[in-house]
Amino acid sequence: MILQTVLSCAPAIPFAAGLAFALYLPPGPASRLVAAIAAIAAAVASLYASAASAASTASAASAASAGTPSRRRQAASLLGAAAFGLGFGVFSHARAEAVSERFSPGFAEAAPARATAYEGRLASDPRRAASGMIALEVELSAARCPEGGLVTASGRVGVYARSSSGGAAGAQAMGLVRGQRVLVSAERGLAEPRAGLGPWPDALAARAVFVSASGVSALGPPPRLESARAACRRGLLGALRTAGGEAGPLLEALVVGVRDDLDGGLADDFRKAGCAHVLALSGQHVGVLAALASLVLGFALGPFRARAAACALAGLYLFVVGASPSVARAVAMFWAASAAAALDRPQPALATLAVVFCAAVAASPAGAHSLSFKLSYLAVAGIAVLGPPIEFGLRRWLPPPFSGALATGFAALAAAAPVSILAFGTVNPFSPVSSAVAGVLVAALMWVGIALAAIVAILPAAAAGVAAPLAAAACAVPYRALAVSMGLAARLPSLSAESEPGRLSAVVALGAAFVYAWPYASYYAYGRSATRQLRLPDRPVRPPRGPRPGHAQEVRPELPRLGPRASPHRRPLRGEARKPRLGDRAGDGLDDARGARPGPRGIGLRDR
């Protein structure tokens, strides 16, 4: 059964597996050599399986075992896909390592002149860091020396500016937009990146420079498209802030991904409860927005056009909020799934994820090594692989909506917990339950907040002043419920491992508990009886009221046909005499000892 499941998977899955294996090897030519040898071995095995399948198909002795050549052909295609994935992984590995070696500050360390300022272009919108400083990412283009000369520079640096007005006000006071050319003062020089986080994080870590708010200035106006995007983003933030009231900062984080004004205590409760991913824009938020767009547009455009409009709105949303790994992954999967459904070729979630993963790595191999990228794709892979069996086990105790929500949390935790505990040292085992509760409240808050923000935004100024307090009161209900639930979940105990051996042992224990021990213990505790393993339907099932294609009367026309509302297994009502039919035992007297059924020559049974 397991072999059949593996052989029946889409070729994109082994391609993505080979790509991930080669991409996440440590940097260096030795890792690429190992991946290249594995690719050659997979290609040779694929050719051997293909040749064996062709030989067994041509031979007459294999006519009785027609399934073996088919399995060999499937194995050959999967091995070939894995070989191509390993080869593409070697190429992507080299590209990612080239990005780590691309940084050039303009002046060598031994040079007598030093750079006092850098010119570059903003790679992202300004945001408030955890320390309260304004964080910017700048793609360098030139370095300035004290005499005013310019030297070509390359690479990306992180700029941290101190500002007297924190939060979103401090970020907006700088007046900078993504894509705008800026000048960064670097009197103190570039700080060395943090080390000890791992081979790839150490290789790809960006240099940092700390300046005052006046140390960052614009060199020109932003591009028109980026200026329009920034204006749309500011208007959206303002509408959410006005309609949300006390829930406004949380709505800004859930809809736009801006956490500049979010309460630190609430964010800390989310982190302790293991629900920090709820604050980060991900597939849950994109799904809520896409469902809202499909619901609003479905009545006017129909389901197919509404789906296409939802895809367009998802792309616009991605452009406005920024292409973070989780949002880009969610939007790309939504596009791929919608295209497959439109072509009447729906694909499994794991195959769609594999295609999107390959496209994301092809676009930015270095971005695939970020922690948010790994956690996002691991969580979705866990939901696709482990979600159905865990939900099947939970169906014994919980109805479908609750079992599905808890299964999603457990599956995501099972896949992402090893990386989380290696990166942060803690993991909350109660996070699936907390995430299920938070998911319902977050969806309610987003639906209410977006609808009321749109209403307040289109109303005149006088009417908006009256409607804003009512909208804030409506948003406060799910917001306060969410804050209380996260506060209670933050008090639950969590697993912690400070030392490196402790983290590794915790990873092994988590893998054993979630992947092997829990499903099998639950399975053997309840036994293997077929009735206990049945999956109950979500809605009542009605038997057919007449013959359907596949019944004996449809397949064999020579048999007597029944009426459109008759059924061969329908019992007569009480008080209604049963009409004799073909094949009735009572009509021939078989069930009545006193009955006389004529024999072959007109002689009754009693006369014999």
Side-chain angles (χ1 to χ4, degrees):
M1 183 65 181
I2 297 178
L3 179 61
Q4 183 179 0
T5 304
V6 172
L7 293 178
S8 62
C9 67
I13 297 176
F15 184 92
L19 171 60
F21 173 79
L23 180 65
Y24 291 112
L25 289 175
S31 299
R32 291 192 289 274
L33 178 61
V34 171
I37 294 175
I40 294 174
V44 171
S46 174
L47 294 176
Y48 175 78
S50 179
S53 174
S56 59
T57 303
S59 61
S62 63
S65 59
T68 302
S70 177
R71 288 189 176 183
R72 288 176 178 173
R73 283 194 298 269
Q74 292 175 346
S77 64
L78 296 182
L79 287 172
F84 279 106
L86 287 167
F88 184 63
V90 172
F91 175 69
S92 302
H93 188 281
R95 286 180 59 197
E97 192 170 354
V99 171
S100 66
E101 299 173 354
R102 192 171 60 89
F103 179 77
S104 173
F107 293 93
E109 296 181 358
R114 297 179 60 87
T116 58
Y118 288 97
E119 296 182 6
R121 190 177 299 275
L122 283 180
S124 61
D125 290 307
R127 59 179 179 84
R128 187 173 69 90
S131 59
M133 306 179 70
I134 306 301
L136 307 94
E137 270 188 290
V138 179
E139 191 74 28
L140 299 181
S141 60
R144 289 188 179 184
C145 62
E147 291 77 12
L150 288 178
V151 179
T152 302
S154 62
R156 184 171 294 189
V157 297
V159 180
Y160 297 90
R162 302 177 183 87
S163 177
S164 57
S165 57
Q172 294 179 6
M174 302 182 71
L176 300 177
V177 178
R178 185 183 70 184
Q180 191 172 8
R181 296 187 67 250
V182 295
L183 176 66
V184 180
S185 175
E187 297 290 343
R188 299 182 181 180
L190 298 177
E192 292 294 330
R194 294 178 58 186
L197 301 178
W200 277 111
D202 292 347
L204 298 174
R207 305 289 183 93
V209 57
F210 297 89
V211 299
S212 61
S214 59
V216 182
S217 58
L219 291 179
R224 293 183 179 180
L225 186 60
E226 290 292 341
S227 180
R229 181 198 65 85
C232 178
R233 187 169 179 264
R234 285 193 298 268
L236 181 58
L237 289 173
L240 292 173
R241 192 180 304 111
T242 302
E246 62 175 334
L250 183 57
L251 277 174
E252 293 177 0
L254 295 176
V255 178
V256 190
V258 176
R259 288 186 267 180
D260 296 345
D261 296 329
L262 186 63
D263 183 27
L266 181 60
D268 193 54
D269 288 343
F270 271 93
R271 182 184 58 82
K272 290 181 180 178
C275 301
H277 61 278
V278 176
L279 295 178
L281 294 180
S282 60
Q284 178 184 5
H285 307 81
V286 176
V288 170
L289 296 175
L292 181 61
S294 300
L295 179 64
V296 173
L297 301 175
F299 296 99
L301 303 179
F304 295 101
R305 294 181 180 178
R307 185 96 174 187
C311 290
L313 291 177
L316 179 62
Y317 176 74
L318 177 66
F319 174 69
V320 171
V321 303
S324 63
S326 55
V327 179
R329 187 262 313 155
V331 173
M333 288 191 67
F334 181 64
W335 284 346
S338 300
L343 296 174
D344 199 16
R345 294 293 184 271
Q347 300 296 321
L350 189 60
T352 305
L353 178 67
V355 173
V356 172
F357 172 77
C358 297
V361 172
S364 176
H369 291 280
S370 64
L371 183 60
S372 59
F373 186 96
K374 298 175 185 177
L375 291 176
S376 176
Y377 280 84
L378 278 176
V380 178
I383 293 172
V385 176
L386 301 177
I390 295 178
E391 182 186 1
F392 181 77
L394 292 177
R395 282 285 184 92
R396 300 164 181 167
W397 305 287
L398 298 174
F402 299 99
S403 63
L406 286 180
T408 300
F410 277 113
L413 179 64
V419 177
S420 298
I421 201 168
L422 286 176
F424 306 112
T426 59
V427 64
N428 193 326
F430 301 97
S431 62
V433 181
S434 306
S435 299
V437 176
V440 177
L441 296 175
V442 163
L445 179 60
M446 290 182 63
W447 279 62
V448 173
I450 293 174
L452 295 179
I455 294 174
V456 172
I458 62 177
L459 288 177
V466 178
L470 300 177
C475 293
V477 176
Y479 171 76
R480 292 174 182 175
L482 182 61
V484 170
S485 61
M486 289 298 100
L488 296 176
R491 297 188 179 97
L492 297 176
S494 60
L495 302 178
S496 177
E498 299 296 337
S499 61
E500 193 69 22
R503 294 187 181 187
L504 294 177
S505 61
V507 169
V508 175
L510 284 170
F514 287 103
V515 178
Y516 183 83
W518 184 85
Y520 278 86
S522 175
Y523 175 72
Y524 283 109
Y526 264 72
R528 300 187 180 183
S529 61
T531 56
R532 296 183 183 273
Q533 302 298 323
L534 290 178
R535 192 168 186 170
L536 298 179
D538 297 340
R539 56 184 63 86
V541 178
R542 297 181 180 179
R545 301 185 62 87
R548 296 292 188 268
H551 289 199
Q553 289 80 9
E554 297 291 335
V555 179
R556 301 285 299 276
E558 65 271 13
L559 295 178
R561 304 181 65 86
L562 303 177
R565 300 182 61 84
S567 175
H569 305 291
R570 184 181 177 186
R571 299 181 60 184
L573 300 177
R574 293 184 179 182
E576 179 183 349
R578 182 187 179 104
K579 298 179 181 180
R581 296 176 180 173
L582 181 65
D584 283 351
R585 296 165 58 89
D588 291 339
L590 296 180
D591 296 331
D592 190 0
R594 297 173 298 177
R597 182 171 65 88
R601 296 184 180 180
I603 303 175
L605 293 178
R606 288 183 297 179
D607 298 335
R608 293 181 184 179

